[in-house]
Amino acid sequence: MTDKKTKANTLWGGRFEGGVSDIMEKINASIDFDKILYRQDIKGSIEHCKMLVTTDIISSEDGIAIQNGLRQIEGEIDAGDFEFSAALEDIHMNIEARLTEIIGSTAGRLHTARSRNDQVATDFKLWVRDACDQADEALKALQFVLINKAEENADVIIPGFTHLQNAQPVTFGHHLMAYFEMFTRDRARFADARKRLNECPLGAAALAGTSFPIDRHQTAKALGFDRPTYNSMDSVSDRDFALEFLSAASISAIHVSRLAEEMVMWSCAQFKFIQMSDSFTTGSSIMPQKRNPDAAELCRGKSGRIIGSLNSLLITMKGLVLTFSKDMQEDKEVTFDAVETYSLIIAAMTGMVEDMKVNADHMKKATEVGFITATDLADWVVRVLGLPFRNAHHITGSLVALAEKKGCDLDGLTLEEMQQVEPKITKEVFNVLSVESSVGSRVSFGGTAPSEVLKQVALAKERIG
């Protein structure tokens, strides 16, 4: 048996005669992780206090004392001089207890017309809103690096894969710009999440609102929200904003992971498409020749951790009745961890892309196998000979089989050998069988032609914001 605390929590203990057990204190306390919310908590409290003064719910003298005390506490936490207590459960009660030490019983007036329920919802929304802004800035930096690298490699030719088989030649710049588009959508998702979360729960109190004549519009505006939330019960039970952030972060982490996987593949000895810098690789304890792409592998691995955070909170929320349940305390650790992890992998990917060296010769050489211009041949048969595409597809397939037997690529076949399959083929067909001709011809909007890649780079610089 564990001993019970002999003294009940003075901030909520009026109903309780005895104390709580050590186990209860440990499972109930959140201060070890929610202390990260101290700036948001103090900011929300200051604006709540100002509103209480404006609406004559508390005196201006009390308001000044409370605000000065809160600013002192913020300074103490900033300086590392604040002593956090698990017995006080969370950041809100730790701050209120310290405020009481500084200004006495006047501190108790601050909690008029609010509850920890609407207080924590407000703090958490403010924190997630900041996280959305930080994610956007980090993604923007990554996009600039991708744009620059794509512009440098607009005419570098690389195999384009389907099923990890050589499919059609593309330019490396075009390949990198595909990730630019993914991260553009990621930024839009964070922006959408931010827009939807930007309603202020403060003033919803425990769940039913308050009988005090508060001005929720004042606090909402002061805290940078678009408006107060419309329903007090939804205000304190909503964690959609955290779920939506985690969803956006998970999708974006998948994009990072896909690029990381490609970089792992591109950097291996079998490809040698790129060389990663010493800054983002490690060596082996036994094999001195190794250059391990650990940063890329960790980006790939940590994406699963972010997805796990989303799954964890979805499962936590799925069975909760309105309004607040203590289960919802589990919303923060997973979100805090996901934000830290996401920030880390975006920063690492930005550095890896910026530092990587492109081996254009190896990329080009990899296009010499796999009959990578077969589609160009089929298109030529359609365009020049006027045959239906299905016929052209069959003719090209037969020519591929012939080249495979001969042990050469398509341009290694003679005109006579090609005419055995389709007599109408002329020597002009060889003009489309080089990879340079192939990529140069793909000038449709969003295509891989170097000229088109440079157009897309220019558009991307305008779109990036």
Side-chain angles (χ1 to χ4, degrees):
M1 293 288 291
T2 59
D3 293 333
K4 290 186 176 181
K5 299 292 182 184
T6 57
K7 183 178 181 182
N9 189 311
T10 57
L11 295 183
W12 54 258
R15 169 67 176 82
F16 297 82
E17 295 180 359
V20 298
S21 73
D22 291 338
I23 293 173
M24 179 59 191
E25 180 179 295
K26 188 170 184 179
I27 197 173
N28 193 48
S30 59
I31 188 60
D32 284 347
F33 54 86
D34 70 14
K35 60 187 176 184
I36 196 175
L37 297 173
Y38 78 92
R39 291 186 187 279
Q40 288 80 13
D41 193 72
I42 290 171
K43 183 177 182 180
S45 291
I46 286 174
E47 295 305 333
H48 180 70
C49 178
K50 289 179 180 178
M51 181 274 298
L52 293 177
V53 172
T54 300
T55 53
D56 295 324
I57 295 172
I58 66 174
S59 69
S60 59
E61 291 79 14
D62 286 345
I64 291 170
I66 289 169
Q67 291 173 57
N68 288 340
L70 288 170
R71 292 188 180 98
Q72 178 181 329
I73 294 168
E74 184 173 22
E76 291 172 357
I77 299 175
D78 285 341
D81 297 331
F82 190 94
E83 185 176 345
F84 295 100
S85 169
L88 293 170
E89 296 183 20
D90 56 31
I91 186 60
H92 325 293
M93 294 175 73
N94 268 263
I95 288 175
E96 186 172 334
R98 176 60 180 144
L99 185 64
T100 302
E101 290 176 356
I102 295 171
I103 66 172
S105 61
T106 297
R109 298 189 184 280
L110 175 61
H111 210 53
T112 306
R114 77 174 183 185
S115 161
R116 275 194 296 174
N117 293 353
D118 63 332
Q119 186 179 359
V120 68
T122 303
D123 293 357
F124 197 23
K125 270 196 171 184
L126 287 169
W127 193 91
V128 172
R129 189 176 70 185
D130 289 342
C132 287
D133 294 340
Q134 292 160 11
D136 182 74
E137 286 300 312
L139 283 169
K140 186 176 180 180
L142 175 54
Q143 284 185 306
F144 272 120
V145 169
L146 285 166
I147 288 172
N148 292 336
K149 196 67 71 172
E151 190 170 24
E152 293 170 9
N153 296 277
D155 59 354
V156 172
I157 298 174
I158 188 174
F161 299 122
T162 62
H163 308 279
L164 201 54
Q165 305 294 313
N166 275 15
Q168 291 179 275
V170 295
T171 52
F172 191 49
H174 188 58
H175 196 124
L176 293 176
M177 289 302 292
Y179 285 99
F180 172 87
E181 295 300 328
M182 295 180 205
F183 295 129
T184 296
R185 294 192 296 274
D186 292 339
R187 290 181 66 193
R189 273 182 278 270
F190 283 118
D192 287 345
R194 190 192 193 285
K195 182 177 181 180
R196 268 184 288 279
L197 72 77
N198 210 35
E199 295 181 350
C200 184
L202 196 58
L207 76 159
T210 178
S211 60
F212 288 96
I214 62 173
D215 185 347
R216 293 189 62 208
H217 291 276
Q218 176 183 328
T219 48
K221 182 178 180 181
L223 292 171
F225 290 102
D226 295 330
R227 64 190 70 83
T229 49
Y230 289 103
N231 183 282
S232 61
M233 295 180 73
D234 176 58
S235 300
V236 297
S237 60
D238 165 39
R239 291 300 183 270
D240 291 4
F241 61 92
L243 288 168
E244 195 164 2
F245 177 90
L246 291 173
S247 177
S250 295
I251 294 170
S252 186
I254 289 171
H255 295 154
V256 173
S257 183
R258 294 181 73 178
L259 179 52
E261 168 62 12
E262 298 215 85
M263 294 181 78
V264 170
M265 182 180 72
W266 291 339
S267 65
C268 73
Q270 288 72 23
F271 279 80
K272 292 185 180 178
F273 286 0
I274 65 168
Q275 180 175 323
M276 298 175 65
S277 73
D278 291 349
S279 298
F280 294 98
T281 55
T282 65
S284 166
S285 63
I286 190 172
M287 296 168 283
Q289 83 280 11
K290 295 290 294 298
R291 181 191 291 271
N292 298 324
D294 283 6
E297 291 170 348
L298 286 166
C299 285
R300 187 177 60 191
K302 287 180 181 294
S303 65
R305 183 167 170 171
I306 295 168
I307 295 165
S309 294
L310 169 62
N311 198 38
S312 176
L313 187 53
L314 285 168
I315 293 169
T316 296
M317 296 300 298
K318 72 176 181 62
L320 301 185
V321 298
L322 297 182
T323 53
F324 181 83
S325 297
K326 195 69 170 182
D327 313 49
M328 292 166 68
Q329 182 169 291
E330 295 300 303
D331 59 359
K332 294 171 195 65
E333 279 186 286
V334 292
T335 305
F336 296 160
D337 182 75
V339 170
E340 182 178 3
T341 303
Y342 179 75
S343 299
L344 184 59
I345 66 172
I346 293 295
M349 183 54 68
T350 302
M352 283 188 289
V353 173
E354 187 171 33
D355 284 2
M356 73 177 177
K357 294 180 180 179
V358 175
N359 299 324
D361 291 342
H362 284 279
M363 290 181 174
K364 173 72 180 304
K365 189 173 181 60
T367 66
E368 295 174 2
V369 296
F371 313 104
I372 201 166
T373 57
T375 303
D376 298 276
L377 174 56
D379 288 346
W380 182 88
V381 171
V382 171
R383 188 171 57 251
V384 177
L385 303 186
L387 297 178
F389 183 80
R390 285 301 164 206
N391 298 61
H393 188 285
H394 181 77
I395 291 167
T396 302
S398 298
L399 291 170
V400 166
L402 180 61
E404 197 167 33
K405 289 178 183 177
K406 187 178 177 182
C408 66
D409 209 341
L410 287 170
D411 59 1
L413 294 173
T414 66
L415 178 60
E416 291 74 18
E417 288 170 329
M418 289 188 180
Q419 288 175 339
Q420 289 175 11
V421 175
E422 172 50 60
K424 295 180 181 179
I425 293 177
T426 67
K427 64 180 181 180
E428 282 71 27
V429 72
F430 292 99
N431 293 332
V432 301
L433 295 182
S434 72
V435 291
E436 289 84 1
S437 296
S438 176
V439 297
S441 69
R442 307 292 173 179
V443 292
S444 56
F445 184 84
T448 193
S451 60
E452 187 61 26
V453 172
L454 292 174
K455 288 179 184 177
Q456 293 301 325
V457 164
L459 287 172
K461 290 178 181 180
E462 296 176 6
R463 292 164 54 201
I464 198 167

